Amino acid sequence: MPGFTIDQERLQDKTKLFLRVSYATSIISILFGAICYFILHVTQIIPFVLVAFGIINLINLQYFKVHKQILPTFNFSSVIGLISAFVVTLYSGGIQSPFIFMLPLIGFGGFVNSSKYGRNYFNLIYVLICLLFTQTIPSLRVTENVVPVEYFGTFSFLSILISVFLLGNTFGKSLLKTYNALYTSKKNMAIQVHEKENLLKEVHHRVKNNLQTVSSLLSLQSRNIENGPMKGLLKGTQNRVIAMAMVHEMLYMRNDISHIEYKSYVQELSEYLIRSIKGIENSIVLNIEIPNIKLGIDTAIPLGLLINEALTNALKYGIEGDDSGEIHIKLQKDQAKQNCYILEIGDNGKGFPDTVNYKNTKSLGLKLIHNLTRQLRGTIERDHSKKGTNYIIQFQEINQQLNQTL
């Protein structure tokens, strides 16, 4: 799986960084301990702690090759590192020791490997620094500076030099390498996403063109048929094709290729149907109440077909001839249910009897309305509080491929 591969790669990068820093720290610690003992004449505590840390940490790193568990290896190395750095700092001037910079470096290493452990180590470092500060109070002091006064400047110089080397040459170079790899990967991913978006837009564009071709063929076919049921059937099919084509056209025209702003779609579809059925000059009032709702293609297409059928029925049978009439469409989120919506759609025309339903009627439009509602995993009911034919439809947003079986 892609996610598993990325996690493994990330763990490998962290492991390489930790091992590189740990090996460098161990070797430098042993060398610095030898310098303290043989050159700076520090004969108490400090050189022995430095050499002991270096050797124990190298053994810990070698044991990692056996068990391959980075977390216990990292924690053990960090703990003995904190203890060693604290002891060396305590016996080399306490809060004024330049070796104190090694403490936050260990905490920083914790953040590189895990933010959780990084926070824990930094909290522990705060406590250790407070303990070091207590050594400035004469009544609480339990240690003395074991670094000879004449060599303290050299000890400070080497301590700071080691801190800068670990931070810059080891941590810095490794993090910069990781950042460059991440930037390159992010840039390549952005290019791939852009290419896929353009390809998907082109697919939507071609689907729209193909649907428009089908619509044109239906229109040409209907011209060769005299007025009658067959001509109306072809016109209805043409409108359904156009309703689907509009969805693909909007996805092609906008930056968001996964969702469409539904108010503009319903507005365009409704105005097209009114012009197509009632003509340019008509007495139809269109009221649309839709907030900023965006729907995916798997919801937008069946819902668009449902609205197409409801409006077609209203314009052909509810509001007869050149009569004036009103059509209202209201779409809102269902506050009681997640990812659910409520559609109220209807007209103020003559309506039809309650005895007529999708089970006993021959009307294809009425059957489609109920079938599309089921496809949207919804429910439909007549709203008898208003004049004409009005529906209240509750449905869910579909997050899977459109089922073409109606």
Side-chain angles (χ1 to χ4, degrees), residues 202-343:
E202 183 63 25
V203 169
H204 284 302
H205 183 56
R206 294 193 179 189
V207 170
K208 184 262 297 184
N209 287 343
N210 290 337
L211 289 173
Q212 285 185 337
T213 301
V214 173
S215 173
S216 298
L217 291 173
L218 290 171
S219 178
L220 289 172
Q221 186 67 41
S222 65
R223 292 176 187 175
N224 298 324
I225 299 175
E226 297 181 357
N227 290 335
M230 184 58 69
K231 190 177 185 70
L233 180 61
L234 288 175
K235 185 60 178 177
T237 303
Q238 182 185 2
N239 289 341
R240 295 177 189 115
V241 171
I242 290 176
M244 291 187 289
M246 285 182 180
V247 173
H248 292 282
E249 182 177 21
M250 288 191 169
L251 290 173
Y252 167 73
M253 296 295 293
R254 287 164 174 76
N255 292 328
D256 187 353
I257 57 175
S258 60
H259 294 80
I260 67 170
E261 197 273 308
Y262 218 65
K263 181 178 181 179
S264 59
Y265 169 74
V266 173
Q267 185 83 37
E268 186 174 336
L269 176 62
S270 302
E271 291 175 353
Y272 162 77
L273 290 173
I274 293 173
R275 291 194 306 269
S276 176
I277 297 174
K278 294 295 186 180
I280 298 177
E281 300 294 333
N282 58 77
S283 302
I284 304 298
V285 177
L286 178 63
N287 293 321
I288 296 178
E289 296 180 53
I290 300 178
N292 185 24
I293 291 177
K294 292 185 177 182
L295 298 175
I297 186 172
D298 294 329
T299 305
I301 288 181
L303 184 61
L305 289 172
L306 190 154
I307 293 173
N308 174 82
E309 298 303 325
L311 291 185
T312 299
N313 286 347
L315 294 169
K316 290 175 65 176
Y317 309 114
I319 306 172
E320 295 182 319
D322 296 329
D323 294 347
S324 60
E326 180 180 343
I327 291 176
H328 70 275
I329 305 171
K330 182 178 181 181
L331 179 63
Q332 60 184 340
K333 272 199 166 186
D334 189 344
Q335 300 300 326
K337 299 178 183 178
Q338 189 176 9
N339 294 328
C340 291
Y341 297 85
I342 300 175
L343 172 67

Side-chain angles (χ1 to χ4, degrees), residues 184-202:
T184 302
S185 175
K186 185 178 179 181
K187 184 178 179 181
N188 292 336
M189 187 176 295
I191 293 174
Q192 291 177 2
V193 169
H194 182 67
E195 290 176 349
K196 289 181 179 179
E197 286 181 349
N198 288 337
L199 180 61
L200 191 54
K201 279 191 173 184
E202 183 63 25

Side-chain angles (χ1 to χ4, degrees), residues 59-292:
I59 295 173
N60 179 43
L61 296 175
Q62 292 303 310
Y63 186 55
F64 166 74
K65 296 180 179 179
V66 178
H67 59 75
K68 301 292 184 180
Q69 299 294 321
I70 188 61
L71 191 58
T73 304
F74 163 73
N75 283 325
F76 182 78
S77 179
S78 299
V79 169
I80 63 173
L82 277 175
I83 295 173
S84 302
F86 176 74
V87 173
V88 172
T89 303
L90 188 64
Y91 282 91
S92 62
I95 199 73
Q96 297 177 341
S97 171
F99 204 81
I100 198 172
F101 292 112
M102 293 301 298
L103 291 173
L105 275 180
I106 296 173
F108 178 67
F111 267 113
V112 170
N113 285 274
S114 168
S115 59
K116 174 185 175 182
Y117 288 106
R119 287 193 298 269
N120 291 337
Y121 286 130
F122 265 116
N123 291 333
L124 181 57
I125 289 169
Y126 293 141
V127 176
L128 295 178
I129 291 175
C130 291
L131 291 176
L132 290 171
F133 179 73
T134 62
Q135 298 304 293
T136 61
I137 304 173
S139 59
L140 299 177
R141 185 180 301 163
V142 295
T143 60
E144 295 293 337
N145 188 348
V146 298
V147 179
V149 176
E150 61 272 25
Y151 294 111
F152 189 76
T154 305
F155 178 85
S156 300
F157 168 73
L158 292 175
S159 298
I160 296 174
L161 198 64
I162 291 172
S163 300
V164 172
F165 173 80
L166 290 176
L167 181 61
N169 193 56
T170 306
F171 274 120
K173 285 176 65 176
S174 299
L175 290 177
L176 182 61
K177 181 180 178 181
T178 303
Y179 170 79
N180 288 334
L182 179 62
Y183 176 79
T184 302
S185 175
K186 185 178 179 181
K187 184 178 179 181
N188 292 336
M189 187 176 295
I191 293 174
Q192 291 177 2
V193 169
H194 182 67
E195 290 176 349
K196 289 181 179 179
E197 286 181 349
N198 288 337
L199 180 61
L200 191 54
K201 279 191 173 184
E202 183 63 25
V203 169
H204 284 302
H205 183 56
R206 294 193 179 189
V207 170
K208 184 262 297 184
N209 287 343
N210 290 337
L211 289 173
Q212 285 185 337
T213 301
V214 173
S215 173
S216 298
L217 291 173
L218 290 171
S219 178
L220 289 172
Q221 186 67 41
S222 65
R223 292 176 187 175
N224 298 324
I225 299 175
E226 297 181 357
N227 290 335
M230 184 58 69
K231 190 177 185 70
L233 180 61
L234 288 175
K235 185 60 178 177
T237 303
Q238 182 185 2
N239 289 341
R240 295 177 189 115
V241 171
I242 290 176
M244 291 187 289
M246 285 182 180
V247 173
H248 292 282
E249 182 177 21
M250 288 191 169
L251 290 173
Y252 167 73
M253 296 295 293
R254 287 164 174 76
N255 292 328
D256 187 353
I257 57 175
S258 60
H259 294 80
I260 67 170
E261 197 273 308
Y262 218 65
K263 181 178 181 179
S264 59
Y265 169 74
V266 173
Q267 185 83 37
E268 186 174 336
L269 176 62
S270 302
E271 291 175 353
Y272 162 77
L273 290 173
I274 293 173
R275 291 194 306 269
S276 176
I277 297 174
K278 294 295 186 180
I280 298 177
E281 300 294 333
N282 58 77
S283 302
I284 304 298
V285 177
L286 178 63
N287 293 321
I288 296 178
E289 296 180 53
I290 300 178
N292 185 24

